[in-house]
Amino acid sequence: MNPKWNGQFSCFDLVAKTSERSRSVVQVGDIEIGGNDFVVMAGPCAVESESQLLETAVAVAEAGARILRGGAYKPRSSPYAFQGLGVEGLKILRKAREVTGLAIVTEVMSEEDVDLIAEYADIMQVGTRSMENYALLEALGHCGRPVLLKRGMTATLEDLLRSAQVIAVSGNPQVILCERGIRTFETATRNTLDIAAVPVLKTVSHLPVIVDPSHAAGVRALVPVLSRAAAVVGADGLIVEVHPCPEKALSDGNQSLTFGEFRRMMKDLQPYLDLEQEARKLRPQLLAVGGAD
Ligand code: PEP
Ligand code: MN
């Protein structure tokens, strides 16, 4: 352990790495997040229609994704933008699970919606804007589903771990952390992917860590290379936006991959995943932070 972090996060005792607990696996059906597999979640930013979601679900499953993403309740920067289909969107997600067997991850924005969304979702997503919504985090403590906790766009890693601890203390230890880019002075990308967050979080916490290259980049051209970077720094998986026709998407079209681009990205990722598998065996020597296991 790098002495800089020695003890810094130990107050978050349920999520901090200890000698007894170095790694936790979040189980979703037969999928293990934080285990030896690199788990890819993919799908549109928002559920827009049954045909849009089903087509996407089939395409991402064929390309190797294990989990389908899609927002039914959308937090938008503008009150005039598409806000999601709500319950209708949840029903479409359920149908996509029946058709493809993919597990479902979808966002919950309010503590009032937790029970409803937990009926449809396999993983409850907390978005960047909600990372410090403590009423929501506490309600997720007893939702009976794993939680995908996205880093707030202005949150430090300590803030992220504090929110994870709130969910765990409220009764739910099944938390997956997600680095999705933070606000910096840089404007060429939508956010700045803090790639160092992955090895730091894997060093100080036992929780699984995934990367969202789509919201970090804001443009689809960068998504494959950021995904490869995530794979080699030891992330446990990705959450990626994919749309049948990105230019017609109701949200986040610029950063959404086409089916063909997603297929190619998954194929191109494989040598990097193989490299990471080798690195896992030698991790103490290869990871800059050292001693991550
Ligand atoms: C999303 O996943 O579509 C989303 C809104 O993500 P974030 O909360 O990271 O902006
Ligand atoms: Mn989005």
Side-chain angles (χ1 to χ4, degrees):
M1 171 86 72
N2 182 318
K4 175 166 168 36
W5 307 312
N6 202 6
Q8 187 184 338
F9 302 105
S10 53
C11 55
F12 307 133
D13 61 321
L14 297 178
V15 302
K17 184 173 285 200
T18 61
S19 46
E20 296 84 53
R21 184 142 213 213
S22 70
R23 196 176 196 196
S24 54
V25 172
V26 171
Q27 187 89 34
V28 180
D30 64 346
I31 306 165
E32 292 192 340
I33 304 164
N36 289 328
D37 291 343
F38 188 79
V39 177
V40 178
M41 313 179 184
C45 179
V47 180
E48 298 170 3
S49 68
E50 185 170 311
S51 59
Q52 171 246 18
L53 191 73
L54 290 185
E55 253 183 74
T56 310
V58 168
V60 300
E62 275 173 10
R66 310 282 309 277
I67 298 175
L68 178 66
R69 62 147 292 146
Y73 295 80
K74 294 302 300 173
R76 302 305 303 282
S77 306
S78 161
Y80 307 109
F82 177 58
Q83 308 289 319
L85 295 181
V87 184
E88 197 196 327
L90 296 176
K91 290 184 177 153
I92 297 172
L93 285 163
R94 174 183 278 172
K95 179 145 194 204
R97 175 175 45 206
E98 282 163 12
V99 172
T100 59
L102 291 170
I104 301 297
V105 58
T106 195
E107 178 158 356
V108 54
M109 288 166 57
S110 157
E111 73 269 24
E112 286 161 18
D113 297 331
V114 167
D115 291 343
L116 173 72
I117 294 179
E119 280 176 38
Y120 293 86
D122 297 289
I123 304 176
M124 311 284 279
Q125 177 176 328
V126 175
T128 193
R129 295 163 186 81
S130 302
M131 193 207 79
E132 294 189 74
N133 178 344
Y134 289 104
L136 173 62
L137 302 180
E138 283 166 18
L140 288 166
H142 33 86
C143 70
R145 301 268 181 234
V147 176
L148 172 59
L149 179 63
K150 290 187 137 194
R151 180 180 182 180
M153 62 183 92
T154 57
T156 63
L157 297 181
E158 185 168 346
D159 297 332
L160 175 63
L161 291 171
R162 183 179 306 108
S163 291
Q165 173 83 8
V166 171
I167 299 169
V169 142
S170 307
N172 188 353
Q174 293 186 286
V175 180
I176 304 154
L177 304 173
C178 178
E179 163 57 40
R180 50 78 71 201
I182 51 173
R183 281 257 165 100
T184 67
F185 53 79
E186 183 55 70
T187 56
T189 49
R190 182 175 177 182
N191 291 284
T192 297
L193 181 64
D194 180 8
I195 200 73
V198 178
V200 172
L201 289 170
K202 296 291 292 179
T203 303
V204 301
S205 171
H206 58 75
L207 297 175
V209 180
I210 70 163
V211 167
D212 174 347
S214 309
H215 291 85
V219 288
R220 75 179 64 87
L222 281 175
V223 171
V225 70
L226 296 184
S227 298
R228 295 196 288 274
V232 296
V233 293
D236 296 298
L238 300 171
I239 180 164
V240 182
E241 289 186 336
V242 179
H243 194 281
C245 187
E247 58 278 16
K248 295 212 175 114
L250 296 182
S251 60
D252 287 349
N254 287 346
Q255 66 198 33
S256 299
L257 300 180
T258 63
F259 297 166
E261 286 164 345
F262 181 67
R263 228 180 359 254
R264 210 167 312 126
M265 181 192 98
M266 292 292 278
K267 197 159 166 276
D268 292 346
L269 213 46
Q270 199 51 52
Y272 296 84
L273 293 174
D274 294 343
L275 186 66
E276 165 57 12
Q277 280 296 327
E278 282 304 303
R280 271 176 199 259
K281 293 181 202 151
L282 304 167
R283 185 181 293 282
Q285 288 82 0
L286 287 184
L287 265 190
V289 287
D293 273 347

